[in-house]
Amino acid sequence: DAPAGQYAGSVTVRGPHDVRIEVALKVHDFALSETPTLFTMGWSMHEWFTKDGLKACLDKLGPLLDHRVAPWHAANHYRGDLEKFDCIAEHLWHRGVKLQVLDGKPPQDVYGHLKSRGWLDRFICIWGDEPHNREYGEYRRRTAEIHEDCPGLAVAMTEDPRPDNIGLFDVWIPEPNSQN
C-alpha cells in the first residue's frame, strides 16, 4: 500500500554491541496479484497431510499456498480415488498452482481420466531424478514407455539439458545452482 518512490531509513539491532543498518529501497507503482502467478515447487507431501481426510488436507495445504509454496504431489496422493484427486487438483488450480506431479507412470485409469478431462497439460510425470550418465539408457527407455503408453503426458526431470541426454525428459526443472 506504500506510494511509489524512494525510501530510506535505518534499523538498529540491539544486543551486546548494537548494530545500525542503513536501508534504502525503491517502491514501484504496482501490486502483486491476489492469485499468485509464481510458486516455489517441490513441497513433497507425506501421510500427515492426508491422514485426517480430504477437508483436513485442504486446510493443511492453505498455509503453504498462502506463502506460494506449491505442494506439487498433492493430487497424486489421491490417485486411487479420482473424485478426491479432482477436488485437490481443482483446488490447487483455483489457488494459482499451474502443475501437478504424477509419481511414475500413472495407471491407465488415471491417464484415461486426465485425457478425458483435457488435463494432460496440467500434469507432469516424474519417475526419476538427477540420473548419472550410466543410467541414461534406462531413463530413455522409461521415458519412451511413458510417451508410448500415455501420449501427451510430459516427463519432467531435474537434469541440465545437454546433447547427450536428449530424450530423457520433456520439461526441465532447473535447480537453483543452475541459475548462475
Side-chain angles (χ1 to χ4, degrees):
D1 296 333
Q6 297 284 355
Y7 291 83
S10 65
V11 176
T12 302
V13 179
R14 303 231 180 258
H17 306 284
D18 290 356
V19 176
R20 182 182 166 115
I21 302 168
E22 298 299 322
V23 179
L25 62 99
K26 180 178 183 179
V27 173
H28 295 276
D29 190 21
F30 70 91
L32 295 176
S33 169
E34 287 296 319
T35 302
T37 57
L38 297 174
F39 278 86
T40 298
M41 298 296 284
W43 186 270
S44 191
M45 291 178 41
H46 51 76
E47 65 182 50
W48 175 81
F49 282 91
T50 59
K51 70 177 184 163
D52 298 319
L54 183 63
K55 167 89 171 74
C57 179
L58 293 172
D59 291 343
K60 291 172 186 176
L61 293 176
L64 295 173
L65 297 168
D66 290 345
H67 292 91
R68 298 179 186 210
V69 176
W72 67 344
H73 292 85
N76 188 68
H77 282 271
Y78 289 97
R79 69 185 189 182
D81 182 332
L82 294 177
E83 187 176 318
K84 290 178 180 175
F85 179 94
D86 289 358
C87 181
I88 291 282
E90 289 170 342
H91 176 77
L92 294 171
W93 295 327
H94 176 73
R95 293 289 308 268
V97 176
K98 307 274 188 247
L99 287 173
Q100 278 291 285
V101 168
L102 298 170
D103 295 329
K105 185 176 88 172
Q108 281 301 304
D109 65 324
V110 173
Y111 170 73
H113 179 73
L114 295 177
K115 186 174 179 179
S116 72
R117 301 289 305 256
W119 290 353
L120 290 176
D121 62 341
R122 295 179 174 210
F123 285 84
I124 55 176
C125 179
I126 298 179
W127 61 268
D129 192 33
E130 302 176 27
H132 293 284
N133 293 8
R134 67 183 176 273
E135 300 170 311
Y136 280 6
E138 176 65 11
Y139 273 62
R140 275 191 193 85
R141 185 192 67 71
R142 290 180 74 179
T143 296
E145 181 182 311
I146 292 167
H147 287 157
E148 183 176 323
D149 294 345
C150 306
L153 183 60
V155 175
M157 192 173 299
T158 51
E159 177 74 354
D160 288 338
R162 301 187 319 251
D164 65 333
N165 64 27
I166 291 172
L168 294 185
F169 53 91
D170 306 303
V171 177
W172 173 39
I173 302 171
E175 293 186 87
N177 66 357
S178 69
Q179 303 302 305
N180 299 342

